[in-house]
Amino acid sequence: MNDVVIQKTSAFFQEKFGSTPEKVVLSPGRINIIGEHIDYNDGYVLPAAIDKIICFAFAKNNSNESKIIALDLNEELVVDLSADVSYSKIEWTNYLLGVIKQLQDNGFNFEGFNCVFSSNIPVGSGLSSSAALECGFLYGINSLFDLQIKPIDMALMGQKAEHWVGINCGIMDQFSSVMGLENKVIKIDCKTLEYEYHTADFNDYALILFDSNVKHSLMTSAYNQRREQCEEGLSLLKNKFPEINSFRDCRLKHVHELKDVMSADVFKRCSFVVKEIERVTLACTALDNGAIETLGQLMFETHEGLSQEYEVSCNELDFLVDFVKNEKAVVGSRLMGGGFGGCTINLIKKGEEDAIKTKLVEGYKATFGIDLKIYDVKIGNGTSLYEPLKH
Ligand code: GLA
């Protein structure tokens, strides 16, 4: 499937600019097995890059101006690189302008280039198409002008670009997009940015995403608000317990001791964060031991917490999780990513996927009148140059 995007992007580049691209970059979306909304709370997360990508074709154009074409939208962005970057009204362009701003702010020198990109990552489904956009774009400029930016720094700059756009996100999405490895999940310690790869072996179970087809319009403001509530909670915890520096030092009993001091919302958010940090550690051990039912159970618990305590679910996502809870073939399910829409991630017994898919598609349509979309997940590599002989 990626071949189609690569071919299409390169051919359009050739047609539009009259030369073959100098660099072709593939930048993936991500899934997350467990560890939601704790990347910005010093927790652990367990994401992986997937085989859905944005493909970018690049070449220098010996000018001070860059022309970037979003092939799928038939829109283009022209950037004068000698001027300061400012916000645009066209949403997708801001992610790229944010990357250029990061490069400028960090003193990197580069010249004009032409770029075409096209994607097969669904947008607004919680698969981090924006991180793929930031990281792939940055990777291409880095490679074209030999800027020698380290992968981790690319992830951090991608994250800052996203902040500039307006979401005060954590590091998980950009980190997984850059650092992903085929058939591995990455356990990231978001406090130190240390990371380890764990084999993504789910035994008899397949990873399937169900896309609610609900777009998360509330996401930006609610996300930033959740983050502020956690900061408020942490500052109360630090005041009361000097041994606490971050949520990592925190136990549920600490949060409970402050129940009367915290607002009801802040109490719920902090309770979730502390439990979710613990769950990731348990889940990673379960994965390493092949205890997939245990892992699945933890995923159900995460969903419950995201829905009731962190309050980032919606009726459609709750329905998708509740529905499969009654199915023996499904050992785990939860909303994935920021929430308010997008996908659930599910562990379904191999051989029984089709039956579950059929039932869920029908049930979902009957209840909400919405068509469910389904993605079978393959774990792929992080952002890289496309080298035809290797594919
Ligand atoms: C979004 C953010 C991530 C992370 C998730 C929730 O995807 O970009 O940093 O916080 O939500 O886990």
Side-chain angles (χ1 to χ4, degrees):
M1 192 175 60
N2 288 344
D3 289 347
V4 176
V5 189
I6 297 165
Q7 172 58 28
K8 185 168 90 175
T9 310
S10 305
F12 187 86
F13 187 97
Q14 170 88 43
E15 185 191 314
K16 174 85 188 171
F17 297 111
S19 65
T20 49
E22 284 174 60
K23 308 275 178 190
V24 174
V25 174
L26 310 183
S27 188
R30 63 105 188 88
I31 53 164
N32 184 25
I33 306 299
I34 199 161
E36 222 62 89
H37 282 281
I38 52 172
D39 58 345
Y40 54 86
N41 281 316
D42 285 335
Y44 302 101
V45 290
L46 204 58
I50 54 174
D51 65 344
K52 293 189 189 304
I53 53 149
I54 304 181
C55 174
F56 299 80
F58 286 91
K60 293 179 191 164
N61 64 12
N62 303 313
S63 79
N64 235 337
E65 197 174 79
S66 287
K67 186 175 271 187
I68 302 138
I69 298 175
L71 183 50
D72 308 328
L73 302 172
N74 198 17
E75 288 178 352
E76 93 178 24
L77 166 70
V78 176
V79 192
D80 174 1
L81 296 171
S82 56
D84 282 344
V85 162
S86 57
Y87 287 102
S88 139
K89 286 202 187 78
I90 304 168
E91 201 189 341
W92 66 267
T93 64
N94 284 323
Y95 296 99
L96 306 183
L97 292 167
V99 167
I100 291 177
K101 182 167 169 46
Q102 273 306 303
L103 287 164
Q104 289 178 339
D105 288 355
N106 285 286
F108 288 103
N109 287 318
F110 56 101
E111 290 148 26
F113 56 89
N114 297 326
C115 172
V116 174
F117 71 91
S118 174
S119 172
N120 60 26
I121 309 173
V123 175
S125 298
L127 298 179
S128 291
S129 55
S130 62
L133 190 58
E134 293 143 5
C135 296
F137 188 60
L138 181 51
Y139 195 99
I141 301 174
N142 180 52
S143 164
L144 203 56
F145 296 97
D146 195 21
L147 302 180
Q148 311 261 339
I149 306 173
K150 289 194 213 115
I152 295 275
D153 290 330
M154 280 195 237
L156 288 165
M157 288 166 79
Q159 179 193 22
K160 288 219 180 93
E162 184 106 20
H163 290 177
W164 187 74
V165 174
I167 296 202
N168 212 0
C169 66
I171 190 64
M172 174 170 76
D173 304 349
Q174 291 79 10
F175 197 110
S176 357
S177 187
V178 173
M179 305 297 289
L181 263 191
E182 204 171 340
N183 294 326
K184 301 281 179 194
V185 297
I186 321 169
K187 184 182 183 198
I188 310 169
D189 178 339
C190 300
K191 188 168 178 230
T192 61
L193 291 190
E194 283 164 6
Y195 61 99
E196 15 176 88
Y197 292 105
H198 291 252
T199 302
D201 180 356
F202 300 96
N203 281 346
D204 298 338
Y205 295 92
L207 270 185
I208 315 269
L209 305 181
F210 294 126
D211 186 345
S212 65
N213 239 327
V214 174
K215 302 293 171 205
H216 34 221
S217 56
L218 282 175
M219 176 67 181
T220 305
S221 57
Y223 186 97
N224 292 344
Q225 185 208 42
R226 296 299 181 282
R227 193 163 178 166
E228 282 160 22
Q229 289 168 330
C230 291
E231 277 161 17
E232 186 183 325
L234 184 60
S235 118
L236 294 169
L237 285 156
K238 279 184 179 172
N239 263 342
K240 170 86 181 178
F241 305 103
E243 70 274 25
I244 291 180
N245 281 311
S246 93
F247 275 113
R248 282 279 276 287
D249 311 317
C250 212
R251 300 292 162 265
L252 208 50
K253 65 171 194 238
H254 296 124
V255 180
H256 277 270
E257 267 193 56
L258 289 187
K259 187 167 184 188
D260 297 337
V261 181
M262 291 175 175
S263 73
D265 282 348
V266 169
F267 173 74
K268 283 191 278 186
R269 311 298 185 245
C270 293
S271 304
F272 171 79
V273 168
V274 171
K275 287 189 262 182
E276 184 72 354
I277 292 177
E278 172 75 14
R279 274 193 286 265
V280 180
T281 307
L282 297 173
C284 197
T285 307
L287 176 65
D288 289 344
N289 294 338
I292 306 305
E293 289 80 4
T294 307
L295 169 62
Q297 191 50 43
L298 291 162
M299 288 165 65
F300 277 128
E301 285 172 25
T302 291
H303 184 81
E304 184 71 16
L306 287 168
S307 176
Q308 302 303 315
E309 295 176 321
Y310 220 69
E311 295 177 293
V312 291
S313 189
C314 59
N315 291 340
E316 292 85 349
L317 289 169
D318 286 345
F319 174 91
L320 293 175
V321 173
D322 287 345
F323 191 99
V324 297
K325 232 179 214 167
N326 303 320
E327 297 290 339
K328 251 187 84 193
V330 185
V331 288
S333 176
R334 61 177 201 82
L335 82 82
M336 190 183 75
F340 301 103
C343 290
T344 63
I345 179 167
N346 303 268
L347 282 169
I348 307 182
K349 186 106 187 178
K350 287 180 184 157
E352 310 212 24
E353 302 101 308
D354 286 347
I356 300 288
K357 287 176 185 173
T358 308
K359 270 196 207 170
L360 195 55
V361 165
E362 280 169 15
Y364 192 60
K365 180 84 176 179
T367 311
F368 296 101
I370 307 177
D371 290 322
L372 188 70
K373 285 200 267 174
I374 299 172
Y375 315 120
D376 294 332
V377 175
K378 278 213 194 79
I379 296 183
N381 283 319
T383 309
S384 58
L385 283 181
Y386 174 62
E387 293 166 276
L389 289 178
K390 283 197 180 167
H391 287 73

